[in-house]
Structure formats: C-alpha cells, structure tokens
Coordinates of all heavy atoms in Angstrom, one line a residue:
M1 N -29.0 55.4 -14.2 CA -28.1 54.4 -13.8 C -28.8 53.4 -12.9 O -29.5 53.7 -12.0 CB -27.0 55.1 -12.9 CG -25.8 54.1 -12.7 SD -24.7 54.8 -11.5 CE -23.4 55.4 -12.6
S2 N -28.7 52.1 -13.3 CA -29.4 51.1 -12.5 C -28.5 50.6 -11.4 O -27.3 50.4 -11.6 CB -29.9 50.0 -13.4 OG -28.8 49.3 -13.9
T3 N -29.2 50.2 -10.3 CA -28.4 49.7 -9.2 C -28.2 48.1 -9.3 O -29.2 47.4 -9.7 CB -29.0 49.9 -7.8 OG1 -30.3 49.4 -7.9 CG2 -29.1 51.4 -7.6
A4 N -27.1 47.6 -9.1 CA -26.8 46.2 -9.2 C -27.4 45.5 -7.9 O -27.3 46.0 -6.8 CB -25.3 45.9 -9.3
I5 N -27.9 44.3 -8.2 CA -28.4 43.6 -7.0 C -27.2 42.9 -6.4 O -26.4 42.2 -7.0 CB -29.4 42.5 -7.5 CG1 -30.6 43.2 -8.2 CG2 -29.9 41.6 -6.4 CD1 -31.5 42.2 -8.9
P6 N -27.1 43.1 -5.0 CA -26.0 42.4 -4.3 C -26.1 40.9 -4.3 O -27.3 40.4 -4.3 CB -26.1 43.0 -2.9 CG -27.5 43.5 -2.8 CD -28.0 43.8 -4.1
P7 N -25.0 40.2 -4.3 CA -25.1 38.7 -4.3 C -25.6 38.2 -3.0 O -25.5 38.9 -2.0 CB -23.6 38.3 -4.5 CG -22.8 39.5 -4.0 CD -23.6 40.7 -4.3
G8 N -26.2 37.1 -3.1 CA -26.8 36.5 -1.8 C -28.3 37.0 -1.7 O -28.9 37.4 -2.6
G9 N -28.8 36.9 -0.5 CA -30.1 37.4 -0.3 C -31.1 36.4 -0.4 O -30.9 35.2 -0.5
Q10 N -32.4 36.8 -0.5 CA -33.5 35.9 -0.5 C -33.6 35.1 -1.7 O -34.0 33.9 -1.7 CB -34.8 36.7 -0.3 CG -36.0 35.9 0.1 CD -35.9 35.2 1.4 OE1 -35.1 35.5 2.3 NE2 -36.6 34.1 1.5
R11 N -33.3 35.7 -2.9 CA -33.4 35.0 -4.2 C -32.4 33.8 -4.2 O -32.8 32.7 -4.7 CB -33.1 36.0 -5.3 CG -34.2 36.8 -5.7 CD -33.8 37.6 -7.0 NE -34.9 38.5 -7.4 CZ -34.8 39.4 -8.3 NH1 -33.6 39.5 -9.0 NH2 -35.7 40.1 -8.7
T12 N -31.2 34.0 -3.7 CA -30.2 33.0 -3.7 C -30.7 31.8 -2.9 O -30.5 30.7 -3.3 CB -28.9 33.5 -3.3 OG1 -28.5 34.6 -4.1 CG2 -27.8 32.4 -3.4
L13 N -31.2 32.1 -1.7 CA -31.7 31.1 -0.8 C -32.8 30.3 -1.4 O -32.9 29.1 -1.3 CB -32.1 31.7 0.5 CG -31.0 32.2 1.4 CD1 -31.6 32.9 2.7 CD2 -30.0 31.1 1.8
Q14 N -33.7 31.0 -2.1 CA -34.8 30.3 -2.8 C -34.3 29.4 -3.9 O -34.8 28.2 -4.1 CB -35.8 31.3 -3.4 CG -36.7 32.0 -2.3 CD -37.6 33.1 -2.9 OE1 -37.4 33.4 -4.0 NE2 -38.5 33.6 -2.1
K15 N -33.3 29.8 -4.7 CA -32.8 29.0 -5.8 C -32.1 27.8 -5.2 O -32.2 26.7 -5.8 CB -31.8 29.9 -6.6 CG -32.5 30.9 -7.5 CD -31.5 31.6 -8.3 CE -32.2 32.7 -9.2 NZ -31.2 33.4 -10.0
R16 N -31.4 28.0 -4.1 CA -30.7 26.8 -3.5 C -31.6 25.8 -3.0 O -31.5 24.6 -3.1 CB -29.8 27.3 -2.4 CG -28.5 28.0 -2.9 CD -27.6 28.3 -1.7 NE -26.5 29.1 -2.1 CZ -25.7 29.8 -1.4 NH1 -25.9 29.8 0.0 NH2 -24.7 30.5 -1.8
R17 N -32.7 26.2 -2.3 CA -33.7 25.3 -1.8 C -34.4 24.6 -2.9 O -34.7 23.4 -2.9 CB -34.7 26.1 -0.9 CG -34.2 26.5 0.4 CD -35.3 27.1 1.2 NE -34.8 27.9 2.3 CZ -35.1 29.1 2.6 NH1 -35.9 29.8 1.9 NH2 -34.5 29.7 3.6
Q18 N -34.7 25.3 -4.0 CA -35.4 24.7 -5.2 C -34.5 23.6 -5.8 O -34.9 22.6 -6.1 CB -35.8 25.8 -6.2 CG -36.6 25.2 -7.3 CD -36.9 26.3 -8.3 OE1 -36.4 27.5 -8.2 NE2 -37.8 26.0 -9.2
A19 N -33.2 24.0 -6.0 CA -32.2 23.1 -6.6 C -32.1 21.8 -5.7 O -32.0 20.7 -6.2 CB -30.9 23.7 -6.8
Q20 N -32.0 22.0 -4.4 CA -31.9 20.9 -3.5 C -33.1 20.0 -3.5 O -33.0 18.8 -3.5 CB -31.7 21.4 -2.0 CG -31.4 20.3 -1.0 CD -30.1 19.6 -1.3 OE1 -29.2 20.1 -1.8 NE2 -30.1 18.4 -0.8
S21 N -34.3 20.6 -3.6 CA -35.5 19.7 -3.6 C -35.6 19.0 -4.9 O -36.0 17.9 -5.0 CB -36.8 20.6 -3.4 OG -36.9 21.5 -4.5
I22 N -35.1 19.6 -6.0 CA -35.1 18.9 -7.3 C -34.1 17.7 -7.3 O -34.5 16.6 -7.7 CB -34.7 19.8 -8.4 CG1 -35.9 20.8 -8.7 CG2 -34.4 19.1 -9.7 CD1 -35.6 22.0 -9.7
K23 N -33.0 17.9 -6.6 CA -32.0 16.8 -6.5 C -32.6 15.7 -5.7 O -32.4 14.5 -6.0 CB -30.7 17.3 -5.9 CG -29.7 18.0 -6.8 CD -28.5 18.3 -6.1 CE -27.5 19.0 -7.0 NZ -26.3 19.3 -6.3
E24 N -33.2 16.0 -4.6 CA -33.8 15.0 -3.7 C -34.9 14.2 -4.4 O -35.0 13.0 -4.3 CB -34.3 15.6 -2.4 CG -33.3 16.1 -1.5 CD -33.9 16.9 -0.3 OE1 -35.1 17.0 -0.2 OE2 -33.1 17.3 0.6
K25 N -35.7 14.9 -5.2 CA -36.7 14.2 -6.0 C -36.1 13.2 -7.0 O -36.6 12.1 -7.2 CB -37.6 15.2 -6.7 CG -38.6 15.9 -5.8 CD -39.4 16.9 -6.6 CE -40.3 17.7 -5.6 NZ -41.1 18.7 -6.3
Q26 N -35.1 13.7 -7.7 CA -34.4 12.8 -8.7 C -33.7 11.6 -8.0 O -33.8 10.5 -8.5 CB -33.3 13.6 -9.4 CG -33.9 14.6 -10.4 CD -32.9 15.4 -11.1 OE1 -31.7 15.4 -10.7 NE2 -33.3 16.1 -12.1
L27 N -33.1 11.8 -6.8 CA -32.5 10.7 -6.2 C -33.6 9.6 -5.7 O -33.3 8.5 -5.7 CB -31.7 11.2 -5.0 CG -30.4 11.9 -5.3 CD1 -29.8 12.4 -4.0 CD2 -29.4 10.9 -6.0
K28 N -34.7 10.1 -5.3 CA -35.8 9.2 -4.9 C -36.4 8.4 -6.0 O -36.8 7.3 -5.9 CB -36.8 9.9 -4.1 CG -36.4 10.4 -2.8 CD -37.5 11.2 -2.1 CE -37.0 11.8 -0.8 NZ -38.0 12.6 -0.1
Q29 N -36.4 9.0 -7.2 CA -37.1 8.4 -8.3 C -36.2 7.4 -9.1 O -36.6 6.4 -9.5 CB -37.5 9.5 -9.3 CG -38.7 10.3 -8.8 CD -39.1 11.4 -9.7 OE1 -38.4 11.6 -10.7 NE2 -40.2 12.1 -9.4
T30 N -34.9 7.8 -9.3 CA -34.1 6.9 -10.1 C -33.2 6.1 -9.2 O -32.6 6.6 -8.3 CB -33.2 7.8 -11.1 OG1 -32.4 8.6 -10.3 CG2 -34.0 8.5 -12.1
P31 N -33.0 4.8 -9.6 CA -32.1 3.9 -8.8 C -30.7 4.4 -9.0 O -30.3 4.8 -10.1 CB -32.4 2.5 -9.3 CG -33.0 2.7 -10.6 CD -33.7 4.0 -10.6
T32 N -29.8 4.2 -8.0 CA -28.4 4.6 -8.1 C -27.6 3.6 -8.9 O -26.4 3.9 -9.2 CB -27.8 4.9 -6.8 OG1 -28.0 3.7 -6.0 CG2 -28.5 6.0 -6.1
S33 N -28.0 2.4 -9.1 CA -27.2 1.4 -9.7 C -28.1 0.4 -10.4 O -29.3 0.4 -10.2 CB -26.3 0.6 -8.7 OG -27.2 -0.2 -7.9
T34 N -27.5 -0.5 -11.3 CA -28.3 -1.5 -11.9 C -28.9 -2.5 -11.0 O -29.9 -3.1 -11.2 CB -27.5 -2.1 -13.1 OG1 -26.3 -2.7 -12.5 CG2 -27.2 -1.2 -14.1
R35 N -28.1 -2.8 -9.9 CA -28.5 -3.7 -8.9 C -29.8 -3.2 -8.2 O -30.6 -4.0 -7.9 CB -27.4 -4.0 -8.0 CG -27.6 -5.1 -7.1 CD -26.4 -5.5 -6.2 NE -25.3 -6.0 -6.9 CZ -25.2 -7.3 -7.3 NH1 -26.1 -8.1 -7.1 NH2 -24.1 -7.7 -8.0
A36 N -29.8 -1.9 -8.0 CA -31.0 -1.3 -7.3 C -32.1 -1.3 -8.3 O -33.3 -1.4 -7.8 CB -30.6 0.1 -6.9
A37 N -31.9 -1.3 -9.5 CA -32.9 -1.3 -10.5 C -33.5 -2.7 -10.8 O -34.5 -2.9 -11.4 CB -32.4 -0.7 -11.9
G38 N -32.8 -3.7 -10.3 CA -33.4 -5.1 -10.4 C -32.7 -5.9 -11.4 O -33.1 -7.0 -11.6
Y39 N -31.6 -5.4 -12.0 CA -31.0 -6.2 -13.1 C -30.0 -7.2 -12.5 O -29.7 -8.2 -13.1 CB -30.2 -5.3 -14.0 CG -31.2 -4.4 -14.8 CD1 -31.3 -3.1 -14.6 CD2 -32.0 -5.0 -15.8 CE1 -32.1 -2.3 -15.4 CE2 -32.8 -4.3 -16.6 CZ -32.9 -2.9 -16.4 OH -33.8 -2.2 -17.1
G40 N -29.4 -6.9 -11.4 CA -28.3 -7.8 -10.8 C -28.8 -8.8 -9.8 O -28.0 -9.4 -9.2
G41 N -30.0 -8.8 -9.4 CA -30.5 -9.7 -8.3 C -30.4 -8.9 -7.0 O -30.1 -7.8 -6.9
S42 N -30.5 -9.7 -6.0 CA -30.5 -9.1 -4.6 C -29.1 -9.0 -4.1 O -28.3 -10.0 -4.2 CB -31.3 -10.0 -3.7 OG -31.2 -9.5 -2.4
S43 N -28.7 -7.9 -3.5 CA -27.4 -7.8 -2.9 C -27.3 -8.5 -1.6 O -26.2 -8.6 -1.0 CB -27.0 -6.3 -2.8 OG -27.9 -5.7 -1.9
A44 N -28.4 -8.9 -1.0 CA -28.4 -9.6 0.3 C -27.7 -10.9 0.1 O -27.1 -11.4 1.1 CB -29.9 -9.8 0.8
N45 N -27.8 -11.5 -1.0 CA -27.1 -12.8 -1.2 C -25.6 -12.6 -1.2 O -24.9 -13.5 -0.7 CB -27.6 -13.5 -2.5 CG -29.0 -13.9 -2.4 OD1 -29.5 -14.1 -1.4 ND2 -29.6 -14.0 -3.6
I46 N -25.1 -11.6 -1.8 CA -23.7 -11.3 -1.9 C -23.2 -11.0 -0.5 O -22.1 -11.5 -0.1 CB -23.4 -10.1 -2.8 CG1 -23.9 -10.4 -4.2 CG2 -22.0 -9.7 -2.8 CD1 -23.1 -11.5 -4.9
L47 N -23.9 -10.2 0.3 CA -23.4 -9.8 1.6 C -23.4 -11.0 2.6 O -22.7 -11.0 3.5 CB -24.3 -8.7 2.2 CG -24.2 -7.4 1.4 CD1 -25.2 -6.4 2.0 CD2 -22.8 -6.8 1.5
K48 N -24.2 -12.0 2.3 CA -24.3 -13.2 3.2 C -23.0 -14.0 3.1 O -22.7 -14.7 4.1 CB -25.5 -14.0 2.8 CG -25.8 -15.1 3.8 CD -27.0 -15.9 3.4 CE -27.2 -17.1 4.3 NZ -28.3 -17.9 3.9
I49 N -22.3 -13.9 2.0 CA -21.0 -14.6 1.9 C -20.0 -14.2 3.0 O -19.3 -15.0 3.5 CB -20.4 -14.5 0.5 CG1 -21.4 -15.1 -0.6 CG2 -19.1 -15.0 0.4 CD1 -21.0 -14.8 -2.0
F50 N -20.0 -12.9 3.3 CA -19.0 -12.4 4.1 C -19.4 -12.3 5.6 O -18.8 -11.7 6.4 CB -18.7 -11.0 3.7 CG -18.1 -11.0 2.3 CD1 -18.9 -10.5 1.3 CD2 -16.9 -11.5 2.0 CE1 -18.4 -10.5 0.0 CE2 -16.4 -11.5 0.7 CZ -17.2 -11.0 -0.3
T51 N -20.5 -13.0 6.0 CA -20.9 -13.1 7.4 C -20.6 -14.4 8.0 O -20.3 -15.4 7.3 CB -22.4 -12.7 7.5 OG1 -23.1 -13.7 6.8 CG2 -22.7 -11.4 6.9
D52 N -20.8 -14.6 9.2 CA -20.6 -15.8 9.9 C -21.8 -16.8 9.7 O -21.7 -18.0 9.9 CB -20.4 -15.6 11.4 CG -19.1 -15.0 11.7 OD1 -18.2 -15.1 10.9 OD2 -19.1 -14.3 12.8
E53 N -22.9 -16.2 9.1 CA -24.1 -17.0 8.9 C -24.0 -17.8 7.6 O -24.9 -18.6 7.3 CB -25.3 -16.2 8.9 CG -25.5 -15.4 10.2 CD -26.6 -14.4 10.1 OE1 -27.2 -14.3 9.0 OE2 -26.8 -13.7 11.1
A54 N -23.0 -17.6 6.8 CA -22.9 -18.2 5.5 C -22.7 -19.7 5.6 O -22.0 -20.2 6.5 CB -21.8 -17.6 4.7
D55 N -23.4 -20.5 4.7 CA -23.2 -21.9 4.7 C -21.9 -22.2 4.0 O -21.4 -21.5 3.1 CB -24.4 -22.6 4.0 CG -25.7 -22.3 4.7 OD1 -25.6 -22.2 5.9 OD2 -26.7 -22.3 4.0
G56 N -21.4 -23.4 4.2 CA -20.2 -23.9 3.5 C -18.9 -23.7 4.3 O -18.9 -23.6 5.5
L57 N -17.8 -23.8 3.6 CA -16.5 -23.7 4.1 C -16.1 -22.3 4.6 O -16.2 -21.4 3.8 CB -15.5 -24.3 3.1 CG -14.0 -24.4 3.6 CD1 -13.8 -25.4 4.6 CD2 -13.2 -24.7 2.3
S58 N -15.7 -22.2 5.8 CA -15.1 -20.9 6.2 C -13.6 -21.1 6.5 O -13.2 -21.9 7.3 CB -15.9 -20.4 7.5 OG -15.2 -20.7 8.7
V59 N -12.9 -20.2 5.9 CA -11.4 -20.4 5.9 C -10.9 -19.1 6.5 O -11.3 -18.0 6.2 CB -10.8 -20.6 4.5 CG1 -9.3 -20.7 4.6 CG2 -11.4 -21.7 3.8
D60 N -10.0 -19.2 7.4 CA -9.3 -18.1 8.1 C -8.5 -17.3 7.1 O -7.8 -18.0 6.2 CB -8.4 -18.6 9.2 CG -7.9 -17.5 10.1 OD1 -8.6 -16.6 10.4 OD2 -6.7 -17.6 10.6
P61 N -8.5 -16.0 7.1 CA -7.7 -15.3 6.2 C -6.2 -15.5 6.2 O -5.5 -15.5 5.2 CB -8.0 -13.8 6.5 CG -9.3 -13.8 7.2 CD -9.3 -15.2 7.9
L62 N -5.7 -15.9 7.4 CA -4.3 -16.3 7.6 C -3.9 -17.5 6.7 O -2.9 -17.6 6.1 CB -3.9 -16.5 9.0 CG -2.5 -16.5 9.4 CD1 -1.7 -15.3 9.0 CD2 -2.3 -16.9 10.9
V63 N -4.8 -18.5 6.8 CA -4.6 -19.7 6.0 C -4.6 -19.4 4.5 O -3.7 -19.9 3.7 CB -5.7 -20.7 6.3 CG1 -5.6 -21.9 5.4 CG2 -5.7 -21.2 7.8
V64 N -5.5 -18.5 4.0 CA -5.5 -18.1 2.6 C -4.2 -17.4 2.3 O -3.6 -17.7 1.2 CB -6.7 -17.2 2.3 CG1 -6.6 -16.7 0.9 CG2 -8.0 -18.0 2.6
M65 N -3.7 -16.6 3.1 CA -2.4 -15.9 2.9 C -1.3 -16.9 2.8 O -0.4 -16.8 1.9 CB -2.1 -14.9 3.9 CG -1.0 -14.0 3.6 SD -0.6 -12.7 4.9 CE 0.1 -13.8 6.1
F66 N -1.2 -17.8 3.7 CA -0.1 -18.8 3.7 C -0.2 -19.7 2.4 O 0.8 -19.9 1.8 CB -0.2 -19.8 4.9 CG 0.6 -19.3 6.1 CD1 -0.1 -19.2 7.3 CD2 1.9 -18.9 6.0 CE1 0.7 -18.7 8.4 CE2 2.6 -18.5 7.1 CZ 2.0 -18.4 8.3
L67 N -1.4 -20.1 2.0 CA -1.5 -20.8 0.8 C -1.1 -20.0 -0.5 O -0.4 -20.6 -1.4 CB -2.9 -21.4 0.6 CG -3.4 -22.4 1.6 CD1 -4.8 -22.7 1.4 CD2 -2.5 -23.7 1.4
A68 N -1.4 -18.8 -0.5 CA -1.0 -17.9 -1.6 C 0.5 -17.8 -1.7 O 1.1 -17.9 -2.8 CB -1.7 -16.6 -1.5
V69 N 1.1 -17.5 -0.5 CA 2.6 -17.4 -0.5 C 3.2 -18.7 -0.9 O 4.2 -18.7 -1.6 CB 3.0 -16.8 0.9 CG1 4.5 -16.9 1.0 CG2 2.5 -15.4 1.1
A70 N 2.7 -19.8 -0.4 CA 3.3 -21.1 -0.7 C 3.2 -21.4 -2.2 O 4.1 -21.9 -2.8 CB 2.6 -22.2 0.1
F71 N 2.1 -21.0 -2.8 CA 1.9 -21.2 -4.3 C 3.0 -20.3 -5.1 O 3.6 -20.8 -6.0 CB 0.5 -20.8 -4.7 CG 0.3 -20.9 -6.2 CD1 0.2 -22.1 -6.8 CD2 0.2 -19.7 -7.0 CE1 0.0 -22.2 -8.2 CE2 0.1 -19.8 -8.3 CZ 0.0 -21.0 -9.0
I72 N 3.1 -19.1 -4.7 CA 4.1 -18.2 -5.3 C 5.5 -18.8 -5.1 O 6.3 -18.8 -6.1 CB 4.0 -16.8 -4.8 CG1 2.6 -16.2 -5.1 CG2 5.1 -15.9 -5.2 CD1 2.3 -14.9 -4.5
F73 N 5.8 -19.2 -3.9 CA 7.1 -19.8 -3.6 C 7.3 -21.1 -4.5 O 8.4 -21.3 -5.0 CB 7.3 -20.1 -2.2 CG 8.6 -20.8 -1.8 CD1 9.8 -20.0 -1.8 CD2 8.7 -22.1 -1.6 CE1 11.0 -20.6 -1.5 CE2 9.9 -22.7 -1.3 CZ 11.1 -22.0 -1.3
S74 N 6.3 -21.9 -4.7 CA 6.5 -23.2 -5.4 C 6.8 -22.8 -6.9 O 7.6 -23.5 -7.6 CB 5.3 -24.0 -5.3 OG 4.1 -23.5 -5.9
V75 N 6.1 -21.8 -7.4 CA 6.3 -21.4 -8.8 C 7.7 -20.9 -9.0 O 8.4 -21.3 -10.0 CB 5.3 -20.3 -9.3 CG1 5.6 -19.8 -10.6 CG2 3.9 -21.0 -9.3
I76 N 8.2 -20.1 -8.1 CA 9.6 -19.6 -8.2 C 10.6 -20.7 -8.0 O 11.6 -20.8 -8.8 CB 9.8 -18.5 -7.1 CG1 9.0 -17.3 -7.4 CG2 11.3 -18.2 -7.0 CD1 9.0 -16.2 -6.3
A77 N 10.3 -21.7 -7.1 CA 11.2 -22.8 -6.9 C 11.3 -23.7 -8.2 O 12.4 -24.1 -8.6 CB 10.8 -23.6 -5.7
L78 N 10.2 -23.9 -8.8 CA 10.2 -24.7 -10.0 C 10.9 -24.0 -11.1 O 11.6 -24.6 -11.9 CB 8.7 -25.0 -10.5 CG 8.0 -26.0 -9.6 CD1 6.5 -26.1 -10.0 CD2 8.7 -27.4 -9.7
H79 N 10.8 -22.7 -11.3 CA 11.6 -22.0 -12.3 C 13.1 -22.1 -12.0 O 13.9 -22.3 -12.9 CB 11.2 -20.5 -12.2 CG 10.0 -20.2 -13.0 ND1 9.9 -20.1 -14.4 CD2 8.7 -19.9 -12.6 CE1 8.7 -19.9 -14.8 NE2 7.9 -19.7 -13.8
V80 N 13.5 -22.0 -10.7 CA 14.9 -22.1 -10.4 C 15.4 -23.5 -10.7 O 16.5 -23.7 -11.2 CB 15.1 -21.7 -8.9 CG1 16.5 -22.1 -8.4 CG2 14.9 -20.3 -8.7
V81 N 14.6 -24.5 -10.3 CA 15.0 -25.9 -10.6 C 15.2 -26.1 -12.1 O 16.2 -26.8 -12.5 CB 13.9 -26.9 -10.0 CG1 14.1 -28.3 -10.5 CG2 14.0 -26.9 -8.5
V82 N 14.3 -25.6 -12.9 CA 14.4 -25.8 -14.4 C 15.7 -25.1 -14.9 O 16.4 -25.6 -15.8 CB 13.1 -25.3 -15.1 CG1 13.3 -25.2 -16.6 CG2 12.0 -26.3 -14.7
K83 N 16.0 -23.9 -14.4 CA 17.1 -23.2 -14.9 C 18.4 -23.9 -14.5 O 19.4 -23.9 -15.2 CB 17.1 -21.8 -14.3 CG 16.2 -20.9 -14.9 CD 16.6 -20.4 -16.3 CE 15.7 -19.4 -16.8 NZ 16.1 -18.9 -18.1
V84 N 18.4 -24.5 -13.2 CA 19.6 -25.1 -12.7 C 19.9 -26.4 -13.5 O 21.0 -26.7 -13.9 CB 19.6 -25.3 -11.2 CG1 20.7 -26.2 -10.7 CG2 19.6 -24.0 -10.5
T85 N 18.9 -27.2 -13.7 CA 19.1 -28.5 -14.3 C 19.3 -28.5 -15.8 O 19.8 -29.4 -16.4 CB 17.9 -29.5 -14.0 OG1 16.7 -28.8 -14.5 CG2 17.7 -29.7 -12.5
G86 N 18.9 -27.4 -16.4 CA 19.0 -27.3 -17.8 C 17.9 -28.1 -18.5 O 16.8 -28.4 -17.9
K87 N 18.1 -28.4 -19.8 CA 17.1 -29.2 -20.5 C 17.4 -30.7 -20.5 O 17.9 -31.3 -21.4 CB 17.1 -28.7 -22.0 CG 16.6 -27.3 -22.1 CD 16.5 -26.8 -23.5 CE 16.0 -25.4 -23.6 NZ 15.8 -24.9 -24.9
V88 N 17.2 -31.3 -19.3 CA 17.4 -32.7 -19.1 C 16.3 -33.5 -19.8 O 16.6 -34.5 -20.4 CB 17.5 -33.0 -17.6 CG1 17.6 -34.5 -17.4 CG2 18.6 -32.2 -17.0
F89 N 15.1 -33.1 -19.6 CA 14.0 -33.9 -20.2 C 13.7 -33.6 -21.6 O 13.2 -32.8 -22.1 CB 12.8 -33.8 -19.3 CG 13.1 -34.2 -17.9 CD1 13.2 -33.3 -16.8 CD2 13.2 -35.5 -17.5 CE1 13.4 -33.6 -15.5 CE2 13.4 -35.9 -16.3 CZ 13.5 -35.0 -15.2

C-alpha cells in the first residue's frame, strides 16, 4: 500500500513560486495594450487634455451640463410646437 502525499508542503510552494515568476516574466515582456506596444501613439497627449496645463478653451463642467439640458429642452419644445400647430407649413 502506497502512502498518499499530503496536500501543501514544499512542492506546492515551489510550484507557486515558479508559476509566479513565469507570470512576472510574461508581464514584463509583453505590452498590456496596443497603446503600450506603440500602435496608438503616446498616452501623455491624451492625459494632457484633462489637466489645467492644456492649451485651448477650458469650460466648466456645470456650463456643459446646462448646455446639454438646454439642447434637450429645445428639442422637446420644438416637438411640442409642431404637434400643437399641426401641419401649417
């Protein structure tokens, strides 16, 4: 009768360490995205848009929200006006 090897122990730790080192090597070798691989350009340019250092027009988010709500309201108002007046034109 052969004795079963209990789970865990030194072999399991060695396998875990080996698997972890293989994963770390793969992560270091392969880029995680196409942008990191060089296909999409530099991400520094994209991040610059959202900082205070960006050139150009800077608009407060509250103003953007008001303009969006005003646009939605104008579309609804025009629909109501057309329904009320009928086919006049």
Side-chain angles (χ1 to χ4, degrees):
M1 190 188 263
S2 66
T3 59
I5 300 173
Q10 192 64 23
R11 281 187 181 172
T12 305
L13 290 176
Q14 286 176 350
K15 286 182 182 179
R16 285 183 185 167
R17 285 186 198 127
Q18 185 179 12
Q20 183 67 28
S21 67
I22 290 172
K23 279 186 181 181
E24 287 175 359
K25 285 179 185 177
Q26 287 176 348
L27 287 175
K28 289 179 183 176
Q29 289 177 354
T30 58
T32 57
S33 68
T34 56
R35 191 172 292 279
Y39 292 109
S42 174
S43 63
N45 294 336
I46 298 295
L47 294 175
K48 188 178 177 186
I49 293 173
F50 300 107
T51 64
D52 292 334
E53 300 171 2
D55 297 332
L57 181 67
S58 99
V59 182
D60 189 37
L62 191 62
V63 173
V64 174
M65 188 180 72
F66 271 128
L67 290 175
V69 170
F71 176 75
I72 293 169
F73 179 73
S74 68
V75 170
I76 292 171
L78 287 173
H79 278 283
V80 169
V81 167
V82 169
K83 287 284 186 183
V84 169
T85 58
K87 295 185 179 183
V88 174
F89 299 106

